[in-house]
């Protein structure tokens, strides 16, 4: 158990819908990273938050957004969902500059 | 362009048959190299961090080494429970967002 929690574990929804994925980092970690893993793309960095502030963006679609709250949990919002958004979404947390610990992931299926 | 390349893509081993996985990287100013293990449908599990050429880390049957251009993950006398996908990653920029290789899927047969 990495200490990082993610909910829900599974999410099935339809095209055009909007979903929210939640992540709670390990106690004491200020950094939260979001990654997408699909079969053809591998693990891809989406966005990084540090202590409530956005620090970096990867190839994140404009339909996707995230935020980190004062209690340090983070949410990833995915809107206008398309079939191609089906993937595993992971968050990871770390002490700045150190190894990242990953949560169990949310499996998103868009029908 | 910064890149992380892993080889081979897949490795099938007999129980007890030692082997090595390769991770080559082209990153300016390496800020560490991370190895993870991932089981199907699960989150990557942190294994090792290596920071400088010549450094070695060990954990049970796994040993990771680092040179200036590549890292190796040696699996000694593997057991079926070592079957997993092994991922290496390097942080890009001062932000430490990770760039992952595609992974090596290891299958160990009893």
């Amino acid at each position: 158990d990495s200490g990082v929690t993610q909910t829900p574990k599974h999410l099935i929804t339809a095209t055009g819908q909007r979903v929210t994925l939640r992540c709670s980092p390990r106690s004491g970690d200020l950094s939260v990273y979001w990654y997408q893993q699909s079969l053809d793309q591998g693990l891809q960095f989406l966005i990084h938050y540090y202590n409530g502030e956005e620090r970096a963006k990867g190839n994140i679609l404009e339909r996707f957004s995230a935020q980190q709250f004062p209690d340090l949990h983070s949410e990833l919002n995915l809107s206008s969902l398309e079939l191609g958004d089906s993937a595993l979404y992971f968050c990871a947390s770390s002490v700045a500059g150190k190894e990242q610990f990953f949560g169990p992931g949310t499996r998103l299926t868009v029908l | 362009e910064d890149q992380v390349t892993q080889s081979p893509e897949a490795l099938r081993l007999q129980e007890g048959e030692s082997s090595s996985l390769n991770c080559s990287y082209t990153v300016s100013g390496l800020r560490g190299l991370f190895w993870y293990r991932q089981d199907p449908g699960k989150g990557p599990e942190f294994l090792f961090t290596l920071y400088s050429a010549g450094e070695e880390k060990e954990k049970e049957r796994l040993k990771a080494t680092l040179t200036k251009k590549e890292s190796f993950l040696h699996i000694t006398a593997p057991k079926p429970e070592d079957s997993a996908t092994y991922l290496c990653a390097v942080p890009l920029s001062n932000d430490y967002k990770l760039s992952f290789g595609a992974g090596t899927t290891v299958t160990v047969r009893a």
Side-chain angles (χ1 to χ4, degrees):
Chain A
D1 183 357
S2 66
V4 178
T5 60
Q6 289 187 248
T7 56
K9 288 186 179 179
H10 303 278
L11 205 46
I12 301 174
T13 188
T15 54
Q17 295 299 303
R18 172 190 170 95
V19 297
T20 298
L21 283 54
R22 181 188 170 106
C23 168
S24 292
R26 294 187 318 158
S27 177
D29 286 355
L30 300 180
S31 275
V32 171
Y33 300 80
W34 286 97
Y35 293 85
Q36 179 191 58
Q37 187 175 39
S38 56
L39 284 175
D40 57 345
Q41 292 289 318
L43 266 165
Q44 299 289 320
F45 167 75
L46 294 178
I47 197 163
H48 170 212
Y49 274 82
Y50 177 81
N51 200 21
E53 293 187 4
E54 180 186 303
R55 284 298 179 92
K57 275 186 173 182
N59 294 325
I60 187 168
L61 301 171
E62 286 190 10
R63 302 183 284 108
F64 295 4
S65 64
Q67 56 185 140
Q68 186 179 27
F69 295 86
D71 67 352
L72 301 178
H73 91 271
S74 178
E75 293 181 356
L76 179 68
N77 301 296
L78 314 176
S79 62
S80 302
L81 285 167
E82 302 175 358
L83 296 178
D85 297 328
S86 296
L88 275 165
Y89 291 85
F90 293 105
C91 77
S93 74
S94 76
V95 175
K98 299 295 183 183
E99 51 273 0
Q100 295 176 23
F101 292 87
F102 283 75
T106 294
R107 181 178 293 279
L108 174 66
T109 302
V110 182
L111 302 175
Chain B
E1 181 182 330
D2 296 335
Q3 275 195 339
V4 182
T5 304
Q6 291 188 246
S7 62
E9 288 185 14
L11 195 56
R12 291 177 63 85
L13 301 172
Q14 198 67 34
E15 184 172 4
E17 178 188 2
S18 302
S19 189
S20 295
L21 286 56
N22 177 267
C23 170
S24 62
Y25 60 90
T26 53
V27 175
S28 56
L30 186 68
R31 296 174 184 80
L33 185 141
F34 303 98
W35 281 98
Y36 288 86
R37 169 195 169 121
Q38 186 175 27
D39 293 306
K42 308 286 187 183
E45 174 190 345
F46 170 74
L47 292 174
F48 305 110
T49 307
L50 301 166
Y51 286 105
S52 55
E55 189 174 359
E56 299 183 351
K57 294 273 181 73
E58 283 190 69
K59 180 180 179 179
E60 297 181 355
R61 295 175 293 281
L62 301 177
K63 182 168 85 171
T65 62
L66 182 66
T67 72
K68 288 187 177 180
K69 293 187 176 181
E70 57 192 349
S71 177
F72 294 92
L73 184 66
H74 309 278
I75 309 179
T76 302
K79 298 182 177 182
E81 53 262 42
D82 295 322
S83 298
T85 295
Y86 292 87
L87 300 163
C88 70
V90 296
L92 301 181
S93 77
N94 291 329
D95 177 70
Y96 286 89
K97 59 190 176 190
L98 294 178
S99 177
F100 280 87
T104 295
T105 299
V106 175
T107 304
V108 183
R109 296 165 291 170

